[in-house]
């Protein structure tokens, strides 16, 4: 089991996967359990997840994401969808426009760290046509896809990207 800080430092976007190495059910389950452990506004958990293993569907998601080929290569794609009305019922517009998006996003971030701890790699994909993704997945009107998380065994050493300096980003008062 990896130390949390080491896990965070080792998370880099992986865009090549070993297509013949499936993600074990237990690992996928552990990743999803970690996602749902995330906090959410009012504990309303205003999101849903579609776990896609089907190859034809992954290829369709790849096309809907402007032909980002690695999406079809990854053995699992987790699609995080907001369920805005769950949050709107309690929080009105702020729940609908903000909290549901935050709930789904935080859950995806938790999943992405669990992926590292499970010895796998991932990339978060946000550049996709929402209507096409919703149609391919047959999502109900109440769900809006906001993030795809491609998951699999890495077939590359990912590039380590730079970060802005803390003193550029943080103001202490
Ligand atoms: C909201 C969001 C959208 C992203 N969309 C894409 C995408 O469509 N395609 C892609 O290859 N990477 C995408 N990424 C991954 C980023 O490019 C990546 O996290 C960033 O370059 C930093 O690299 P790292 O993840 O290796 O630290 C996205 C990340 C986030 C958080």
């Amino acid at each position: 089991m990896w130390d949390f800080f080491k896990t965070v430092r080792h998370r880099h976007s992986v865009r090549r996967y070993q297509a013949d190495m499936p993600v074990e059910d237990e690992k996928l389950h552990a990743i999803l359990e970690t996602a749902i452990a995330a906090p959410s506004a009012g504990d309303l958990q205003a999101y849903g997840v579609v776990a896609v293993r089907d190859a034809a569907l992954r290829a369709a998601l790849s096309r809907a994401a402007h032909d980002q080929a690695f999406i079809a290569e990854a053995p699992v794609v987790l699609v995080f969808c907001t369920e805005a009305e769950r949050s709107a019922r309690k929080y009105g517009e702020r729940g609908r426009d903000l909290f549901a998006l935050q709930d789904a996003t935080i859950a995806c971030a938790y999943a992405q760290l669990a992926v590292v701890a499970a010895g796998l790699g991932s990339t978060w994909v946000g550049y996709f046509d929402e209507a096409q993704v919703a149609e391919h997945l047959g999502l109900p009107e109440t769900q809006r896809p906001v993030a795809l998380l491609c998951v699999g065994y890495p077939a590359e050493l990912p590039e380590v990207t730079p970060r802005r300096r803390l003193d550029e980003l943080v103001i202490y008062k």
Side-chain angles (χ1 to χ4, degrees):
M1 193 59 76
W2 274 21
D3 156 74
F4 174 76
F5 295 99
K6 192 175 165 194
T7 303
V8 171
R9 275 200 313 277
H10 278 76
R11 189 216 51 80
H12 304 292
S13 293
V14 169
R15 297 187 180 87
R16 304 248 355 250
Y17 298 95
Q18 300 185 40
D20 54 347
M21 286 266 288
V23 174
E24 298 86 340
D25 287 347
E26 314 78 63
K27 288 195 175 185
L28 180 57
H29 185 74
I31 291 163
L32 292 169
E33 286 284 6
T34 305
I36 65 165
S40 64
D43 196 24
L44 291 171
Q45 304 157 57
Y47 64 94
V49 186
V50 184
V52 181
R53 284 194 191 272
D54 181 83
L57 208 40
R58 287 186 285 113
L61 292 176
S62 167
R63 288 193 299 277
H66 312 282
D67 294 315
Q68 298 189 70
F70 63 86
I71 299 170
E73 206 180 274
V76 173
V77 180
L78 300 178
V79 184
F80 287 80
C81 307
T82 57
E83 285 190 9
E85 291 312 310
R86 273 184 82 85
S87 204
R89 282 198 283 276
K90 179 164 184 189
Y91 295 114
E93 213 172 291
R94 197 161 174 79
R96 184 178 296 112
D97 296 345
L98 179 65
F99 292 163
L101 186 57
Q102 291 179 326
D103 290 357
T105 304
I106 297 165
C108 187
Y110 271 49
Q112 197 170 31
L113 292 176
V115 165
V116 181
L120 295 153
S122 73
T123 288
W124 184 309
V125 172
Y127 184 47
F128 58 82
D129 184 308
E130 283 186 22
Q132 284 181 29
V133 168
E135 193 184 330
H136 289 310
L137 297 177
L139 294 179
E141 292 268 303
T142 49
Q143 290 200 348
R144 173 188 174 201
V146 292
L148 311 181
L149 191 65
C150 305
V151 181
Y153 284 92
E156 66 171 0
L157 263 184
E159 189 194 343
V160 178
T161 57
R163 289 296 183 269
R164 293 164 68 193
R165 287 160 32 132
L166 269 188
D167 61 6
E168 258 187 68
L169 286 167
V170 182
I171 297 169
Y172 295 96
K173 297 233 180 201

